[in-house]
Amino acid sequence: MYNPVEINKDLFYVGVNDRSTHLFENLWPLPKGVSYNSYVIRDEKVALIDTVDISFTDVFLKKLEVVLGDRPIDYLIINHMEPDHSGALTFLLNKYPNIQLVGNARTADMLEGFYNITNNVLRVKDGEELSLGNSTLTFYMTPMVHWPETMMTYVNESHTIFAGDAFGTFGTLDGGVVDSQLNPDFYWDEMVRYYANIVGKYGSPVQKALRKLGDLKIETICSTHGPVWTEPENIERVIGMYDKMSKYEADKGLVIAYGSMYGNTEQLAEAIASEAAANGVKNIVMHNLSKSHLSYVVQDIFKYKGLIIGSPTYDSKLYPAVQNLVNTLENKNLKNRFFGYFGGHSWAGTSVRLLGKFADTMQFEIVCNPVDIKQSINEDTYQQAMLLGSNMAKKILSDDEVVPNKTTDCK
Ligand code: FEO
């Protein structure tokens, strides 16, 4: 049995909680699961907005039965085709064969590619409307938030936006679905991690989408993951977070991410962190990249404006765990960071040069010359690490903007 959740008049939640999957997209840890949100508008016509992951088809169809009884579904609005939201589609169509599928030209292409579906697809364009009787849906194309076919659907009368992945979070909905029914504290960090890991590459499309939605009155945000946002302060907060993250703006704090085989490179990281703290930086997060999952490292890097990366030289390259981070940050188009770097080697050092190339590519502002140790830290390299820590602290605590490709001399 299922107790239907009515979000506002005639709008029902029919999503599911996944507490079994370990890795989202087979990549990103889900220690507290994830929800796949789907919604029904029960007007003169019935519209379903997105479906759920295929593994949850059974419970999803049962929820639909509870909300709809014998009523058919007239429209399935497909805001996003990624299989965590379209996976149940073919089973849904077995049960409700007359549903008209509503998407855009790129949705239609993906419907054919993923599910061999070509019939009964209504293609809509940006700004087009669809009446359900008492309520009217307006479709807004928001490509690359998170895939090229992504769109958002707005209910003109209730000022509700179905936002796809935007404003979503990891974490299941443990009882409450709407923010007014739950304590949202847990979800704020998980929203940053979700954004950084899943949508982070697409800062510019997110900015375009925010501009497009800028004139809409929004009273309810229904994302495909995490809580439904209805409290005015939460709506302002989630939109503000997306605006900030998609501009690659960040808070005053420092991430030191490093690899270290025998602890020598790590001693540099410790010295830098301790000196940054002594100079007033309170938010310092250190990640041993052989242990921390990349998902949390990337989350913290999206959160803070100071970044220092350290790597031993390994097979004449970066240490593999560091290489993995560097590749990921390049893929995410990370911008706008104060950057420092350090390395270690035992006979021939290349890691520092490679981190310097990375910094150039990313157009970071480089703080101090890099510190490189041969075999182990000595008084000279310790002093250089202290200089990096104190100068990075000054940068982070200042209100200076990052100047791309500038190097700050640390004399
Ligand atoms: Fe939740 Fe991009 O799918």
Side-chain angles (χ1 to χ4, degrees):
M1 289 308 293
Y2 157 66
N3 186 15
V5 177
E6 189 167 12
I7 296 165
N8 53 40
K9 189 173 175 310
D10 295 330
L11 170 61
F12 294 87
Y13 179 81
V14 287
V16 297
N17 286 310
D18 181 352
R19 298 188 184 87
S20 306
T21 302
H22 287 275
L23 296 173
F24 189 77
E25 295 181 340
N26 241 346
L27 283 170
W28 313 107
L30 293 173
K32 297 211 171 165
V34 68
S35 68
Y36 310 116
N37 297 346
S38 171
Y39 306 90
V40 169
I41 302 174
R42 206 172 58 184
D43 199 338
E44 287 168 23
K45 299 278 188 186
V46 170
L48 175 64
I49 293 98
D50 292 311
T51 73
V52 298
D53 185 274
I54 191 169
S55 319
F56 296 86
T57 303
D58 191 39
V59 62
F60 173 59
L61 293 178
K62 283 182 180 146
K63 285 188 170 189
L64 284 174
E65 261 176 42
V66 171
V67 170
L68 294 174
D70 293 334
R71 286 193 70 178
I73 299 172
D74 297 285
Y75 302 108
L76 170 65
I77 313 299
I78 304 174
N79 281 332
H80 188 15
M81 276 296 294
E82 193 163 7
D84 53 334
H85 309 297
S86 67
L89 185 51
T90 48
F91 295 90
L92 181 79
L93 290 179
N94 282 342
K95 187 163 175 190
Y96 300 92
N98 298 319
I99 296 180
Q100 183 154 48
L101 307 180
V102 181
N104 52 60
R106 300 198 84 150
T107 320
D109 180 56
M110 290 188 183
L111 277 168
E112 184 172 7
F114 275 114
Y115 304 109
N116 204 21
I117 294 172
T118 52
N119 288 333
N120 217 3
V121 180
L122 175 65
R123 290 174 171 77
V124 293
K125 295 204 171 93
D126 194 49
E128 212 168 310
E129 294 190 340
L130 178 68
S131 172
L132 300 179
N134 295 315
S135 54
T136 308
L137 308 180
T138 305
F139 305 104
Y140 292 96
M141 302 303 125
T142 52
M144 303 319 300
V145 186
H146 145 233
W147 278 14
E149 88 300 356
T150 42
M151 60 184 205
M152 297 191 193
T153 300
Y154 180 71
V155 186
N156 298 359
E157 296 75 12
S158 65
H159 310 129
T160 299
I161 185 110
F162 298 97
D165 285 339
F167 315 115
T169 75
F170 292 126
T172 49
L173 297 167
D174 296 346
V177 167
V178 180
D179 57 356
S180 57
Q181 305 172 315
L182 51 81
N183 180 348
D185 290 353
F186 159 76
Y187 294 102
W188 301 126
D189 264 358
E190 285 294 77
M191 179 174 284
V192 177
R193 191 165 71 90
Y194 184 88
Y195 178 86
N197 291 179
I198 309 298
V199 192
K201 180 180 179 68
Y202 305 112
S204 156
V206 170
Q207 278 291 308
K208 271 191 201 143
L210 290 175
R211 281 197 292 273
K212 190 174 273 193
L213 303 177
D215 292 334
L216 294 180
K217 181 174 181 185
I218 295 179
E219 290 181 332
T220 304
I221 297 178
C222 296
S223 171
T224 48
H225 301 286
V228 171
W229 303 110
T230 62
E231 301 280 1
E233 68 271 22
N234 288 341
I235 289 178
E236 193 182 333
R237 182 168 179 170
V238 301
I239 293 174
M241 283 171 72
Y242 259 63
D243 186 39
K244 184 171 177 175
M245 292 187 292
S246 58
K247 289 180 190 152
Y248 300 93
E249 291 176 357
D251 293 334
K252 294 184 176 183
L254 172 63
V255 178
I256 303 178
Y258 62 92
S260 188
M261 280 177 277
Y262 299 105
N264 289 302
T265 313
E266 186 175 49
Q267 281 189 36
L268 279 178
E270 293 282 10
I272 295 163
S274 154
E275 191 61 8
N279 282 274
V281 182
K282 290 186 178 166
N283 295 315
I284 299 177
V285 189
M286 299 182 72
H287 285 291
N288 173 351
L289 294 172
S290 300
K291 187 172 178 201
S292 294
H293 195 288
L294 188 64
S295 176
Y296 295 93
V297 183
V298 172
Q299 173 194 4
D300 287 328
I301 289 173
F302 267 75
K303 223 162 141 181
Y304 294 126
K305 66 198 277 195
L307 171 63
I308 299 180
I309 297 182
S311 178
T313 295
Y314 193 91
D315 285 344
S316 307
K317 303 277 188 202
L318 291 177
Y319 192 60
V322 178
Q323 185 69 60
N324 191 24
L325 173 64
V326 159
N327 292 347
T328 302
L329 296 179
E330 280 188 16
N331 288 344
K332 300 280 179 209
N333 289 332
L334 181 78
K335 297 177 187 43
N336 208 18
R337 292 294 178 273
F338 296 119
F339 184 71
Y341 56 110
F342 60 95
H345 62 277
S346 293
W347 61 93
T350 51
S351 62
V352 155
R353 180 173 58 76
L354 293 169
L355 285 172
K357 263 176 79 174
F358 163 71
D360 286 346
T361 306
M362 304 299 286
Q363 302 194 313
F364 291 146
E365 178 173 339
I366 299 170
V367 179
C368 301
N369 292 318
V371 191
D372 195 10
I373 56 172
K374 187 175 180 195
Q375 288 125 19
S376 68
I377 194 166
N378 58 27
E379 186 52 36
D380 180 40
T381 45
Y382 178 73
Q383 291 303 329
Q384 290 176 41
M386 302 279 277
L387 265 183
L388 173 53
S390 58
N391 280 280
M392 180 58 88
K394 268 184 225 150
K395 278 288 175 191
I396 288 169
L397 298 177
S398 73
D399 291 320
D400 292 354
E401 300 281 326
V402 168
V403 181
N405 292 121
K406 178 185 163 192
T407 300
T408 305
D409 205 358
C410 300
K411 291 277 163 52

